Amino acid sequence: MDRRPLLSALSFLALPNAWLFAFFVLPMATMVLYSFWQVIDYEIVADFTFRNYQRLTQNLYVTVFWRTVKISIYVTALSLLIGYPVAYYLARRVKRFRLTMLMLIILPLWTSYLVRTYAWMLLLGTNGVINKALLAVGIVDEPVSWLLYSDFAVTVALVHIYMPFLILPLYAVMEKLDGSLFEAARDLGGGRLRTFLYVTLPLSLPGVATGCIFVFIPSMGSFVTPELLGGTRSILIGSIIAQQFGVTYDYPFGSALALAVMAAILAFAAVALRYGRPRGVR
């Protein structure tokens, strides 16, 4: 029996498997192991305990974790509401300037994440552009204080930062939809709304699921934008994890928090993939 094809296939897969093991499996296994250890006298002790997971049930962490999930869902939902029409317009309506418009969507990604966050501080601050505009037209008598250092500021900024990650996969799915299906829907008397509900939307669900996952995951782990725009009133779980690893050096508890975030992300991804399968055209 000639084993050369089998050996060739194994050697071809060796490099990606080694990469996956080195940069995903090994760090994850280390994090799981650390989450069951503890810190005693500023030193990590390999003493098996569930104390880190018990700390997760404290009110502070439950409140922050729930706020993180809510804001991530808000960011994903708003990105979908805004991004879906944009992707649909680009994929099904625009022909001449499609590439230009795609570049305009991608262009913000060439700017530093930190710069875009600081830009929102300039817009939403007490002396920011929006407050000055509201005062100038007489809508308010004094600057609106809740625009900055609030959940609102964090949500708006995260939508702006992550929405391109939803538009691009959604556009890729819609752009490949078979045009004959739309013609058949029109021939059968389906209006624009019925065509959208029974043809476009079911077939675009894989793009919706992928885009929502791409937005939800970084939103759950974001900590720079919440710290700069949310202040002390909108702390998210990413900030607490960063403090555990960078300030208090409580790696075991930080690992337990990170694994809890990953569990929430996996649950969201499972639901999105479950309901993101393409439906049959009715």
Side-chain angles (χ1 to χ4, degrees):
M1 180 180 177
D2 188 2
R3 296 183 177 180
R4 282 180 297 181
L6 178 60
L7 292 175
S8 178
L10 290 176
S11 61
F12 179 76
L13 294 174
L15 184 59
N17 284 334
W19 180 276
L20 186 66
F21 179 81
F23 295 102
F24 180 74
V25 176
L26 191 59
M28 283 299 301
T30 304
M31 191 172 292
V32 171
L33 191 62
Y34 265 66
S35 70
F36 290 105
W37 291 353
Q38 57 183 323
V39 174
I40 299 177
D41 294 333
Y42 304 104
E43 290 188 2
I44 298 174
V45 178
D47 186 13
F48 188 88
T49 178
F50 286 104
R51 191 174 66 89
N52 297 312
Y53 290 99
Q54 291 173 346
R55 286 179 65 187
L56 294 178
T57 61
Q58 295 177 3
N59 286 336
L60 170 65
Y61 302 115
V62 172
T63 302
V64 173
F65 192 86
W66 179 236
R67 181 191 297 129
T68 306
V69 172
K70 282 197 301 183
I71 289 181
S72 299
I73 291 175
Y74 294 157
V75 170
T76 306
L78 284 172
S79 298
L80 182 60
L81 284 175
I82 301 170
Y84 194 99
V86 173
Y88 177 82
Y89 184 73
L90 281 174
R92 309 304 307 178
R93 299 294 180 186
V94 176
K95 294 188 182 299
R96 288 186 57 187
F97 300 105
R98 182 179 295 176
L99 184 59
T100 304
M101 296 184 73
L102 279 173
M103 287 300 297
L104 291 175
I105 292 171
I106 297 171
L107 204 58
L109 300 179
W110 296 2
T111 309
S112 166
Y113 175 97
L114 198 57
V115 170
R116 283 180 282 163
T117 301
Y118 277 121
W120 278 106
M121 293 183 72
L122 297 176
L123 288 172
L124 300 175
T126 305
N127 296 314
V129 175
I130 294 177
N131 264 318
K132 286 183 177 178
L134 293 175
L135 289 169
V137 297
I139 295 178
V140 296
D141 297 326
E142 57 184 19
V144 182
S145 60
W146 54 263
L147 287 179
L148 190 59
Y149 304 126
S150 63
D151 290 352
F152 169 79
V154 176
T155 302
V156 169
L158 290 180
V159 168
H160 165 247
I161 291 171
Y162 294 131
M163 192 165 56
F165 297 114
L166 185 142
I167 292 176
L168 294 178
L170 196 49
Y171 163 79
V173 170
M174 287 188 177
E175 199 267 340
K176 293 180 180 177
L177 294 181
D178 189 352
S180 62
L181 293 174
F182 301 99
E183 294 177 6
R186 285 194 294 269
D187 293 342
L188 293 172
R192 290 185 178 182
L193 180 60
R194 289 176 66 86
T195 302
F196 172 77
L197 291 176
Y198 296 120
V199 179
T200 309
L201 184 60
L203 293 177
S204 64
L205 285 179
V208 172
T210 305
C212 288
I213 292 172
F214 282 178
V215 173
F216 185 81
I217 290 175
S219 299
M220 281 291 293
S222 179
F223 66 95
V224 174
T225 300
E227 286 202 354
L228 293 177
L229 298 179
T232 56
R233 288 184 292 182
S234 186
I235 296 176
L236 299 189
I237 201 69
S239 300
I240 295 181
I241 293 174
Q243 289 172 2
Q244 302 306 313
F245 284 99
V247 179
T248 63
Y249 298 105
D250 192 346
Y251 289 9
F253 184 55
S255 299
L257 283 170
L259 290 173
V261 171
M262 288 199 66
I265 289 172
L266 289 175
F268 180 86
V271 172
L273 294 175
R274 169 66 180 82
Y275 293 99
R277 297 174 182 171
R279 303 285 194 270
V281 178
R282 288 179 286 174

